[in-house]
Amino acid sequence: MHQPGIEPGANGEALWLKFQLGTTHLSSAELLWLGSEGGSGSGKMTVPIFRASVPKSHPLLIHSLSSALPLTDEASKKKRLLSCCASSELNPVRPELTFCVGTHLIPHPNKVEKGGEDAFFVSSYNGGIIAVADGVSGWAEQDVDPSLFPKELMANVSCLVGDEEQVNNNPQILIGKAHAATFSTGSATVIVAMLERNGILKIANVGDCGLKVIREGKINFSTSPQEHYFDCPYQLSSEAVSQTYLDAMVSSIELMEGDTIVTGSDGLFDNVFDHEIVSTLAGYRDVAEAAKALANLASNHSLDSNFDSPYSMEARSRGFEAPLWKKILGMKLTGGKPDDITVIVGQVVSL
């Protein structure tokens, strides 16, 4: 991803998928992905196993890189649907809402063995939390592992998310606290979305990780990327001169049961158009399969030099031109953007 920023510290391994009893839920769940070493022959990461540490009253659950994560005990008993049943019209009381989540990550083709430079976190805290951090690859030129900063940043988010005194269900404050606790050299773009049970989704993002809300087959809401100039987004960094949580773009939207949330790193949105996201979601009922399909679509586009991607269209609009040999042949600047691709699909369901 882009020009330098910074990233978090942790080993490249799959962490524990933790289930624990909560004070306001029957159960809660967290999924923290900090990368895994190794890759398949296809150039995509081998499916890592997320081992589970759970109370004895809960069965052992195993989640892979492409996984559906039920964020409530009740939701885990229901079939995970992208088109879920609406609440009864006979009940005038609005139901409390949460997410049913599916995730998939495909590393950059050249970064498969170390698992890429994206990290993400999903939690059932309150109504649900989704967070993605995308490490800035330019740090590799300074012999710094670009994956360390986003990993540590997401690990800190996971530790701080339940601290009501410090965070108070505020994603912007959560980003600030997590950044302050991150000591790895590097930088990353980041997005954190926190759902309250009344259906209000609070979002804070620094840079070009993004989130879209799809309602009744249409894009209802999209975050906007922040950048200094083309291909150089805002980023949190270990350097003194960088963006901070105060630079985050903050927004909120009222969600409805049946809405679909798509969150991802720029590897998704640079390579897949909005209409492709909508049409892909329409073809899947399971959130894990939907996330996998979107990630695969983005990966295929990213490696297609003839695909006129959102990234290439934006580059042309900024005055970038095709290589000379293409210009001689009368060809325009086209192609996808190879990158780490993180996709999280969340289905809004009632508790």
Side-chain angles (χ1 to χ4, degrees):
M1 177 206 134
H2 329 283
Q3 323 253 349
I6 311 189
E7 4 220 316
N11 292 329
E13 59 182 4
L15 297 190
W16 297 97
L17 172 60
K18 300 172 287 185
F19 287 77
Q20 53 192 345
L21 296 179
T23 56
T24 57
H25 311 268
L26 291 177
S27 67
S28 62
E30 289 187 354
L31 173 57
L32 175 62
W33 172 251
L34 302 185
S36 176
E37 296 181 354
S40 68
S42 66
K44 296 178 183 176
M45 189 181 301
T46 12
V47 177
I49 298 301
F50 288 90
R51 296 155 289 180
S53 174
V54 301
K56 293 181 180 179
S57 59
H58 293 270
L60 183 66
L61 298 181
I62 298 177
H63 287 263
S64 68
L65 188 60
S66 175
S67 61
L69 177 61
L71 296 188
T72 68
D73 190 63
E74 179 182 352
S76 68
K77 299 175 184 177
K78 301 177 181 178
K79 190 173 182 180
R80 301 179 186 106
L81 302 177
L82 277 176
S83 52
C84 60
C85 299
S87 58
S88 171
E89 296 179 2
L90 299 178
N91 183 3
V93 179
R94 176 169 178 160
E96 293 187 328
L97 300 178
T98 188
F99 292 129
C100 182
V101 171
T103 68
H104 199 74
L105 187 152
I106 300 176
H108 186 290
N110 296 334
K111 303 171 186 178
V112 171
E113 290 195 2
K114 72 172 185 177
E117 296 161 1
D118 285 359
F120 67 82
F121 170 68
V122 174
S123 171
S124 66
Y125 182 77
N126 202 0
I129 296 172
I130 295 172
V132 176
D134 181 353
V136 176
S137 60
W139 282 97
E141 299 172 5
Q142 302 180 37
D143 293 324
V144 172
D145 183 348
S147 72
L148 297 181
F149 188 93
K151 290 175 182 177
E152 187 181 351
L153 185 67
M154 288 292 97
N156 289 332
V157 166
S158 73
C159 292
L160 291 164
V161 71
D163 190 335
E164 294 188 6
E165 183 175 334
Q166 288 197 64
V167 175
N168 194 28
N169 296 323
N170 185 324
Q172 186 178 25
I173 297 299
L174 179 56
I175 287 175
K177 296 291 184 182
H179 185 200
T182 299
F183 297 102
S184 296
T185 299
S187 58
T189 62
V190 62
I191 186 166
V192 176
M194 307 178 76
L195 178 63
E196 298 185 350
R197 291 192 174 190
N198 63 5
I200 302 300
L201 183 67
K202 298 178 179 179
I203 308 157
N205 67 289
V206 178
D208 56 6
C209 289
L211 180 149
K212 296 181 185 293
V213 177
I214 294 85
R215 179 176 297 164
E216 297 179 349
K218 297 180 180 179
I219 301 289
N220 182 262
F221 170 85
S222 295
T223 57
S224 298
Q226 300 169 297
E227 62 178 14
H228 298 287
Y229 49 85
F230 181 69
D231 214 25
C232 183
Y234 282 20
Q235 53 202 264
L236 301 182
S237 173
S238 58
E239 302 301 292
V241 180
S242 75
Q243 281 68 61
T244 72
Y245 74 103
L246 296 175
D247 297 299
M249 181 172 293
V250 178
S251 49
S252 64
I253 180 173
E254 185 173 356
L255 298 182
M256 298 172 56
E257 187 173 2
D259 286 350
T260 302
I261 313 301
V262 176
T263 309
S265 56
D266 67 318
L268 170 64
F269 302 112
D270 280 343
N271 290 298
V272 180
F273 291 98
D274 283 357
H275 69 86
E276 293 180 299
I277 292 175
V278 171
S279 62
T280 299
L281 291 176
Y284 293 88
R285 296 167 65 84
D286 181 273
V287 287
E289 290 301 315
K292 181 178 180 180
L294 283 173
N296 285 334
L297 180 63
S299 179
N300 291 337
H301 284 342
S302 73
L303 302 176
D304 184 350
S305 61
N306 294 317
F307 178 64
D308 200 7
S309 66
Y311 181 78
S312 61
M313 291 179 67
E314 180 67 16
R316 292 200 306 272
S317 74
R318 302 293 187 93
F320 289 86
E321 298 182 349
L324 181 59
W325 68 269
K326 275 195 170 185
K327 293 175 69 175
I328 292 174
L329 296 175
M331 301 169 64
K332 62 183 180 181
L333 179 65
T334 59
K337 179 191 175 188
D339 202 350
D340 298 319
I341 298 164
T342 295
V343 181
I344 302 176
V345 175
Q347 178 69 31
V348 180
V349 298
S350 61
L351 286 168

